Amino acid sequence: MSTPDLIFTGGPVITVDPDRPVASAVAVTGDRIIAVGGEEVLATRGSGTEVVDLGGHCLMPGFVEAHTHPTQDQMLYSDTVIDIRPVTTCPTADQAHATITRTVANAPAGRPLIFYGVDVLLQTGFPEPTREWLDELGPDRPIIVWQNSGHLAWANSAALTMAGLDADTPDPVGGSFERDAHGRPTGKVYEAPAVLAVVAPILAGELSGPQLLARQHADLAARGVTLCSDMAFSDQMRPLTAELYRQGAAKVRMRVYEMSSVDGVTYCPLSNGDDMFRQVGIKLWVDGSPWIGNIDISFPYLNTPATAALGLGHDHRGHSNYTEEQLFSIVRAYYPLGWQMACHVHGDNGVDMILDVYDEVLGQYPRPDHRLRLEHCGAMTSAQFERAARLGITCSLFVDHLYYWGDVLVDDLFGPEHGAHWVRARSALDAGMRISFHNDSPVTEEEPMRNIAAAVTRTSRSGRVLAPEERISIDQALRAQTIDAAYQLFADDITGSLTPGKYADLVVLEHDPRVVPAEDLADVAVLTTYLNGVRTFPG
């Protein structure tokens, strides 16, 4: 073994490698881990070796965020987009409303404004931001209020004009423009294809270079993340991301998923990129968001003041955004070419639909290592996890829902039978599936340790425990945030565990999460992050 450049020692080491579960030292040469062990590793140090004393802190693989949106998240650093999310800056309706009115009053004349993150379930009492209200606020500037899930937005007349939307504009496949009795758009738009139609013209000028994405990468590194996805990547982002990596300003590896189209067009060859940046898959959708009422479920929403505030009718049930035939045509257009597919789905009816599609395509085009994915999986049942596991499908769970919306799920939307059993992590593992956790940022901020805490405790912000039988162990939760998430991104061969030969993608935590009381897991701080053996945080 060559003389290492770095040796980490002096604290607990979590390898997430079953072949080397016990270690007290890790050696790095260049960008790779070359040894994991104990005294024999320390014996290899030379005169040029830097010994990093952990000081009792914990070393482990860098966190992997398997489902996020950094090329969307970067918008929050622009002057045009204002953060009004209930989980960050505006916990109450009054705070969100005041931020909107104050910002409009103080913004330079004519500047477009996008207010991201309103959520009437958490910001109780926030009035629906109608086009008429937004026109009154800013008659001479485009204004958009974007719901926190990303699946719904409201635009004023100036924003509709800027986007070129009128009564003759057809609904895009998978999305819709709400219309009045005369067929004219009301300004309320549903789902990604329609939402992007109104926000993209405003954001285009803001995202012309890599500066904002570089800030987003720095934020990810500060949270211990060394590998992330981009789950709604567009071809327009390729020059920007390419420049970020060319400049050496990237602090996180990226694996991106291009948004699917009904005609099956992709702008990227299957063989592309490198270990830092690569497109690995195609993203598609079955349904929408539980927070706006359009997930495809077999059971009704509750009839509560909260569902009334959402505008849902009596015993409302959601729906899919695509027919099974449309989903099949999308998957069949991409999957036989070799692409991995990652499908957004929450409702149990929707899960059945996409499992039927996956099952049929797998039968027609067998592939031994397809790693087909399902995303979020809120109302997915134990039996559905078992079926998915038999097909070799892997799921990424939005476990943070339990913490922020746990009480809402039970009391306001679905009741204890369905709400408390949201994101059944234990059922997935018992079925033999490899799972990951995610924050779907910007829906919630990147919080790997809170994800781990939510999966281990299943405790909401009020302290309520939801379906304790679906709890998992700390070791299982750590895998879901590291090696198993890397597996979903086809990167487990290069990162996700402290294994000789893999890249030195590391995070130093304040405490060893294996010995921290479960109720304190979310507060374990990230002290240092390394990518390729180079410190990325603190920068």
Side-chain angles (χ1 to χ4, degrees):
M1 185 173 64
S2 61
T3 301
D5 298 324
L6 292 171
I7 292 179
F8 294 86
T9 188
V13 175
I14 302 175
T15 68
V16 200
D17 183 346
D19 294 331
R20 300 172 179 83
V22 178
S24 58
V26 174
V28 174
T29 294
D31 58 6
R32 302 276 181 165
I33 298 168
I34 61 168
V36 177
E39 291 298 324
E40 76 282 5
V41 174
L42 296 175
T44 65
R45 60 185 168 189
S47 59
T49 302
E50 178 186 352
V51 177
V52 179
D53 184 357
L54 296 170
H57 302 304
C58 179
L59 181 72
M60 64 173 287
F63 293 124
V64 178
E65 171 47 284
H67 184 120
T68 190
H69 302 272
T71 57
Q72 177 185 342
D73 228 356
Q74 63 175 320
M75 69 180 182
L76 292 170
Y77 293 104
S78 77
D79 293 331
T80 296
V81 180
I82 295 86
D83 185 358
I84 58 169
R85 290 174 291 178
V87 301
T88 55
T89 59
C90 298
T92 69
D94 287 345
Q95 289 169 308
H97 193 275
T99 299
I100 291 172
T101 55
R102 181 177 63 251
T103 303
V104 172
N106 295 333
R111 172 184 285 172
L113 294 171
I114 297 175
F115 296 93
Y116 183 85
V118 70
D119 184 336
V120 300
L121 294 170
L122 298 183
Q123 295 161 329
T124 307
F126 191 92
E128 180 162 359
T130 62
R131 187 182 70 186
E132 290 75 20
W133 177 57
L134 297 178
D135 283 348
E136 182 181 343
L137 277 177
D140 300 320
R141 74 168 83 239
I143 300 177
I144 293 171
V145 176
W146 201 343
Q147 204 271 344
N148 193 43
S149 70
H151 290 259
L152 171 65
W154 297 264
N156 73 346
S157 297
L160 292 175
T161 299
M162 185 176 185
L165 301 179
D166 56 29
D168 296 325
T169 305
D171 287 345
V173 176
S176 63
F177 306 116
E178 184 183 76
R179 301 172 190 273
D180 63 20
H182 303 286
R184 296 172 299 204
T186 66
K188 190 174 185 179
V189 299
Y190 290 93
E191 295 305 328
V195 171
L196 289 174
V198 296
V199 301
I202 295 175
L203 292 178
E206 295 289 314
L207 307 181
S208 58
Q211 297 81 9
L212 300 183
L213 186 56
R215 292 178 65 180
Q216 177 60 24
H217 268 227
D219 183 73
L220 288 165
R223 297 166 189 270
V225 175
T226 54
L227 167 64
C228 77
S229 70
D230 191 308
M231 294 305 296
F233 194 70
S234 67
D235 197 53
Q236 289 73 26
M237 289 292 105
R238 292 191 196 280
L240 185 150
T241 52
E243 183 63 15
L244 178 78
Y245 284 88
R246 189 195 67 79
Q247 291 180 5
K251 295 190 174 186
V252 181
R253 304 182 194 280
M254 288 179 66
R255 296 294 181 268
V256 305
Y257 293 74
E258 188 176 326
M259 288 184 286
S260 62
S261 65
V262 291
D263 55 6
V265 173
T266 179
Y267 300 93
C268 184
L270 187 65
S271 178
N272 69 90
D274 53 27
D275 286 348
M276 286 295 290
F277 179 93
R278 181 179 296 126
Q279 179 171 322
V280 296
I282 306 294
K283 172 73 177 299
L284 66 156
W285 290 258
V286 170
D287 55 9
S289 167
W291 320 134
I292 64 174
N294 63 343
I295 64 171
D296 193 4
I297 47 178
S298 64
F299 49 90
Y301 277 74
L302 300 178
N303 300 308
T304 65
T307 54
L310 293 177
L312 308 184
H314 184 77
D315 288 349
H316 173 84
R317 296 171 193 246
H319 56 82
S320 62
N321 295 323
Y322 299 84
T323 66
E324 185 169 333
E325 291 73 22
Q326 288 173 323
L327 289 171
F328 183 75
S329 67
I330 291 170
V331 175
R332 188 171 54 185
Y334 293 103
Y335 177 79
L337 301 179
W339 288 110
Q340 182 194 31
M341 308 299 295
C343 186
H344 167 118
V345 63
H346 268 301
D348 58 333
N349 277 346
V351 171
D352 280 338
M353 182 185 295
I354 189 61
L355 288 180
D356 287 346
V357 170
Y358 278 172
D359 197 353
E360 185 170 352
V361 172
L362 286 171
Q364 294 180 3
Y365 307 97
R367 197 159 85 213
D369 190 22
H370 55 77
R371 305 188 198 185
L372 290 174
R373 293 179 51 166
L374 299 182
E375 311 301 306
H376 310 322
C377 310
M380 192 165 171
T381 67
S382 298
Q384 289 174 328
F385 279 113
E386 291 170 1
R387 182 187 177 194
R390 289 194 299 270
L391 294 172
I393 293 165
T394 180
C395 293
S396 188
L397 306 181
F398 198 162
V399 72
D400 217 14
H401 277 179
L402 299 173
Y403 177 72
Y404 287 110
W405 288 272
D407 297 311
V408 168
L409 285 164
V410 176
D411 297 335
D412 298 325
L413 300 184
F414 303 124
E417 179 183 356
H418 301 290
H421 289 86
W422 206 249
V423 290
R424 299 172 183 257
R426 167 56 58 192
S427 293
L429 292 178
D430 286 349
M433 180 182 290
R434 297 178 75 168
I435 62 172
S436 71
F437 302 139
H438 64 257
N439 293 102
D440 199 17
S441 187
V443 179
T444 62
E445 293 191 298
E446 301 294 347
E447 299 179 306
M449 287 307 304
R450 186 173 300 286
N451 291 342
I452 290 167
V456 171
T457 69
R458 293 187 63 89
T459 302
S460 73
R461 285 194 289 181
S462 72
R464 169 188 277 166
V465 177
L466 291 86
E469 67 274 17
E470 290 291 342
R471 289 168 167 170
I472 66 174
S473 72
I474 181 63
D475 288 331
Q476 291 167 328
L478 289 169
R479 286 187 61 90
Q481 202 71 65
T482 54
I483 188 64
D484 289 344
Y487 164 83
Q488 291 181 341
L489 299 176
F490 281 95
D492 54 314
D493 58 329
I494 63 168
T495 193
S497 67
L498 304 187
T499 301
K502 291 189 177 184
Y503 287 109
D505 298 347
L506 318 167
V507 63
V508 180
L509 300 180
E510 179 185 16
H511 304 297
D512 183 344
R514 298 169 300 181
V515 299
V516 168
E519 61 271 20
D520 296 332
L521 279 169
D523 298 322
V524 174
V526 170
L527 301 181
T528 317
T529 308
Y530 295 83
L531 183 73
N532 290 325
V534 176
R535 192 177 73 183
T536 55
F537 172 76

